[in-house]
Amino acid sequence: DEEFNELCFEFGLELDEITSEKDIISKEKGEEKAKGASDTVLYKIDVPANRYDLLCLEGLVRGLQVFKERINLPRYEKIIPPEGEAQRLIITGETVHVRPHAVAAVLRNITFTKERYDSFIDLQEKLHQNICRRRALVAIGTHDLDTISGPFTFTAKPPSEIKFKPLNQSQEYTASQIMDLYRTDSHLRHYLHLIENKPLYPVIYDSNGVVLSMPPIINGDHTKISVKTRNVFIECTGTDITKAKIVLDIIVTMFSEYCEKPFSVEAAEVVYPNGKTHIYPELAYRKEKVKPELINKKIGISETPSSLAKLLTRMCLKSHVIGNGNNIEIEIPPTRADIIHACDIVEDAAIAYGYNNIQMTIPKTYTIANQLPLNKLTELLRLDLAAAGFTEALTFALCSQEDIADKLGMDISATKAVRIANPKTAEFQVARTTLLPGLLKTIAANRKMPLPLKLFEISDIVVKDPNTDVGARNYRHFCAVYYNKSPGFEIIHGLLDRVMQLLEVPPSEENGYTIKATEGSAFFPGRCAEIFAKGQSIGKLGVLHPDVITKFELTMPCSALEINIEPFV
């Protein structure tokens, strides 16, 4: 395990954890539910989002074997069948407003086992979630070619005219019924919105009118692949042709090693509405040139051109030195769609060299880092507030509308709160405009603790501000609460005096701080004061109104103080 962890690290991956199905279930749902689950050891590996070629076991093993120099990088080839024998996918004009693009390929004489088949399905799912943006950009369909006969037609029809038996169902449904059927399906309901409100739904037929799939929702049951499948027809439909090509390339390069002739893919012909034809998959190899000194300079190493070429070859980028060693020619395989710029090549050279092997040097720029003054003041205050007997709390920056408005006796429009457009829970609807609700909720969750409870927090609050470039502004607030059988106004007032003493602000009207009686919706009438310092109002202190206390499910009196500390920086 340790060796494998090291290898992953060297290759630029992270072995997240070593676990088993049983462990995962018992962590999430308790030991009872985990009974009977598999004990097989599972490695959880974090793969960077740009490396689509490492998303399945086949690609990962191939990448690590090349990295360890145990095998050479295979050469992927596309076989173009004789004239008139290639599988054809004809795109009709109706698809243009729903999903205009499609690409296709065939894996001929493939041998699946249970493990290979599971990996094949799993790779499609990972690609759907990742590069396909939850099937919005591309949807993948894989079919048993022996159950259908080409040419295939990719068209779009009104939902009432599409009727077929969906994958793993026992009867035929129309497209509208399929939508209703999957509305409650935990997996497929997330994709219905992609075509639900369109007048025409995309659909793929074979020459006998058998439905292959209704992308991006579901395949037909007739063409479903199994472990016994020998010939696989792969189609990718989508709204982004570049992504569709990448997805097709990844699937065929990963699984062509199980074909009778390893690493070979049978090409398919796609006919566009304008009559033009194109052969897919492209499986394009391209060559790039990079200067060795650029690589050395960017990484901060001094390797010879030939050793740099060797490093890149270990990263699946076949390279050799050309022109008396002043250039390296790199061949980029179809599996590496993430190589877009010379920087990507330099990064791979750095990974192969080993980040830990790069000598650490002091940068040549003369700048000394410094703490942000506001953060420095915050750190200093936190220590002294803790010394004053208050306990620090850290609460969520998001809260519900009730917390900052209704429960404090205010109207939401008066708070200038920033709203979340699509909140996942009612608890996180707005960014907080005051720290008080967070502390009161903390007390409510700790009512069993012995009294008094003395809490404080120094954090940012957010309010709308049309004058800033982002439309909102942060302020660093300090809030403290005292919760006991008596309100303890004098304790909170004493804390204010201590904070001002630490900030070296004297109690005076001219150049110090003063408090003046005022009314606040959250405070008890006649028990609230506004605090003025540096010629401006910086906050309030007082005894909380009984209504506020009961709304936060508390039972004892409570006094609070909240000020903005930014004027004191």
Side-chain angles (χ1 to χ4, degrees):
D1 288 347
E2 276 181 20
E3 279 180 81
F4 186 66
N5 190 7
E6 278 293 299
L7 175 61
C8 283
F9 181 77
E10 285 169 20
F11 191 55
L13 306 174
E14 188 184 347
L15 180 57
D16 205 20
E17 61 174 326
I18 298 171
T19 178
S20 70
E21 219 168 276
K22 197 168 188 175
D23 286 353
I24 296 172
I25 298 174
S26 67
K27 260 187 207 160
E28 287 176 5
K29 299 177 180 167
E31 298 211 347
E32 277 301 303
K33 291 264 169 71
K35 278 183 184 158
S38 153
D39 276 341
T40 316
V41 175
L42 297 177
Y43 286 175
K44 263 191 170 176
I45 301 169
D46 266 353
V47 175
N50 58 342
R51 291 296 300 268
Y52 314 117
D53 56 316
L54 304 178
L55 285 176
C56 64
L57 187 64
E58 287 73 12
L60 186 62
V61 168
R62 205 177 297 162
L64 289 171
Q65 293 276 42
V66 173
F67 183 67
K68 296 281 282 176
E69 298 179 87
R70 288 182 185 170
I71 60 168
N72 289 327
L73 184 66
R75 183 94 195 167
Y76 306 104
E77 66 168 316
K78 97 175 140 191
I79 295 169
I80 297 175
E83 186 67 38
E85 284 182 31
Q87 296 297 338
R88 285 166 68 210
L89 178 61
I90 300 157
I91 306 177
T92 67
E94 287 84 6
T95 59
V96 70
H97 299 302
V98 218
R99 287 180 97 74
H101 304 293
V103 296
V106 177
L107 290 175
R108 217 21 106 181
N109 296 326
I110 191 165
T111 310
F112 279 126
T113 60
K114 171 94 176 64
E115 288 76 23
R116 294 173 184 182
Y117 175 81
D118 290 345
S119 177
F120 187 57
I121 301 298
D122 197 42
L123 173 66
Q124 291 175 49
E125 206 34 59
K126 285 201 172 68
L127 290 169
H128 272 152
Q129 296 308 320
N130 181 343
I131 180 175
C132 303
R133 293 283 179 279
R134 298 219 168 126
R135 304 193 188 177
L137 302 180
V138 187
I140 310 159
T142 51
H143 312 279
D144 186 336
L145 187 58
D146 301 330
T147 62
I148 42 183
S149 61
F152 306 101
T153 311
F154 174 42
T155 183
K157 288 187 164 185
S160 56
E161 291 177 26
I162 302 171
K163 191 170 187 189
F164 66 103
K165 186 163 128 190
L167 194 61
N168 300 331
Q169 296 293 333
S170 54
Q171 65 183 79
E172 291 198 347
Y173 295 93
T174 65
S176 322
Q177 289 167 331
I178 289 173
M179 289 305 211
D180 296 333
L181 178 70
Y182 291 125
R183 216 172 291 290
T184 51
D185 186 290
S186 63
H187 175 60
L188 291 174
R189 63 191 165 101
H190 304 295
Y191 310 122
L192 300 184
H193 69 92
L194 295 171
I195 59 168
E196 200 167 20
N197 301 322
K198 301 271 195 327
L200 303 176
Y201 286 8
V203 61
I204 300 176
Y205 291 101
D206 82 343
S207 57
N208 301 325
V210 175
V211 172
L212 275 70
S213 69
M214 183 173 84
I217 312 298
I218 189 90
N219 286 356
D221 192 66
H222 182 84
T223 63
K224 90 167 163 202
I225 63 169
S226 67
V227 180
K228 296 189 178 71
T229 301
R230 296 284 292 152
N231 299 303
V232 182
F233 178 66
I234 303 167
E235 40 84 8
C236 302
T237 60
T239 51
D240 181 327
I241 185 69
T242 313
K243 297 267 195 302
K245 287 181 196 172
I246 293 172
V247 168
L248 185 67
D249 278 352
I250 293 295
I251 292 179
V252 297
T253 51
M254 291 303 113
F255 285 89
S256 53
E257 76 171 275
Y258 301 135
C259 291
E260 199 168 23
K261 186 177 178 197
F263 305 115
S264 69
V265 185
E266 182 182 311
E269 205 174 288
V270 173
V271 185
Y272 290 101
N274 61 8
K276 285 193 178 148
T277 62
H278 198 297
I279 302 283
Y280 291 107
E282 290 193 338
L283 289 187
Y285 282 87
R286 68 175 211 274
K287 296 208 158 102
E288 299 287 348
K289 292 190 180 81
V290 179
K291 291 202 177 309
E293 51 268 31
L294 175 87
I295 300 179
N296 279 329
K297 186 176 169 218
K298 292 269 186 230
I299 305 174
I301 55 177
S302 50
E303 291 289 296
T304 62
S306 59
S307 71
L308 286 174
K310 196 174 168 199
L311 290 176
L312 287 167
T313 304
R314 286 176 58 203
M315 295 300 289
C316 301
L317 300 173
K318 201 170 167 197
S319 310
H320 59 271
V321 183
I322 53 169
N324 328 331
N326 52 17
N327 250 335
I328 298 178
E329 187 175 74
I330 298 125
E331 185 176 55
I332 289 139
T335 46
R336 293 299 305 272
D338 58 302
I339 307 281
I340 298 168
H341 184 275
C343 291
D344 301 310
I345 293 169
V346 174
E347 181 193 14
D348 269 14
I351 291 171
Y353 184 80
Y355 281 2
N356 286 350
N357 302 328
I358 301 170
Q359 287 294 310
M360 285 179 120
T361 54
I362 291 174
K364 293 191 168 55
T365 47
Y366 292 108
T367 56
I368 305 298
N370 227 334
Q371 201 175 6
L372 203 65
L374 180 60
N375 287 345
K376 190 169 183 184
L377 176 67
T378 304
E379 296 293 325
L380 292 169
L381 272 176
R382 283 158 74 180
L383 276 173
D384 278 301
L385 288 163
F390 279 71
T391 303
E392 183 171 21
L394 270 175
T395 62
F396 289 119
L398 299 177
C399 58
S400 69
Q401 293 192 12
E402 284 80 54
D403 291 343
I404 55 166
D406 309 357
K407 289 185 182 176
L408 298 180
M410 283 175 73
D411 185 51
I412 186 75
S413 56
T415 60
K416 289 198 200 155
V418 176
R419 285 174 192 226
I420 308 291
N422 52 344
K424 284 276 182 282
T425 68
E427 280 296 292
F428 297 151
Q429 295 170 324
V430 291
R432 60 183 172 191
T433 55
T434 159
L435 301 179
L436 185 59
L439 289 182
L440 294 177
K441 278 154 86 176
T442 306
I443 292 177
N446 291 280
R447 281 174 301 203
K448 294 194 179 76
M449 302 297 278
L451 295 172
L453 285 173
K454 299 152 82 174
L455 299 181
F456 81 92
E457 178 170 16
I458 306 182
S459 286
D460 281 358
I461 60 113
V462 185
V463 287
K464 278 187 192 162
D465 182 350
N467 303 325
T468 61
D469 53 349
V470 290
R473 188 183 288 279
N474 289 17
Y475 291 103
R476 186 69 51 90
H477 272 206
F478 151 58
C479 181
V481 292
Y482 176 82
Y483 179 72
N484 202 357
K485 289 181 176 139
S486 63
F489 183 81
E490 66 286 351
I491 290 176
I492 283 291
H493 192 173
L495 186 70
L496 172 70
D497 289 345
R498 172 67 181 143
V499 169
M500 291 301 169
Q501 184 185 9
L502 291 165
L503 294 169
E504 296 183 350
V505 180
S508 77
E509 288 218 5
E510 279 81 56
N511 52 1
Y513 74 101
T514 54
I515 61 174
K516 292 180 180 150
T518 183
E519 294 299 321
S521 59
F523 295 98
F524 202 81
R527 286 275 187 284
C528 173
E530 194 162 7
I531 306 154
F532 292 90
K534 305 260 180 177
Q536 65 194 77
S537 163
I538 58 162
K540 287 183 178 154
L541 82 160
V543 178
L544 292 182
H545 199 289
D547 289 353
V548 174
I549 289 170
T550 49
K551 277 178 186 161
F552 280 98
E553 298 168 22
L554 302 176
T555 50
M556 305 271 179
C558 181
S559 50
L561 150 73
E562 181 160 1
I563 60 169
N564 175 10
I565 62 166
E566 294 197 6
F568 303 105
V569 176

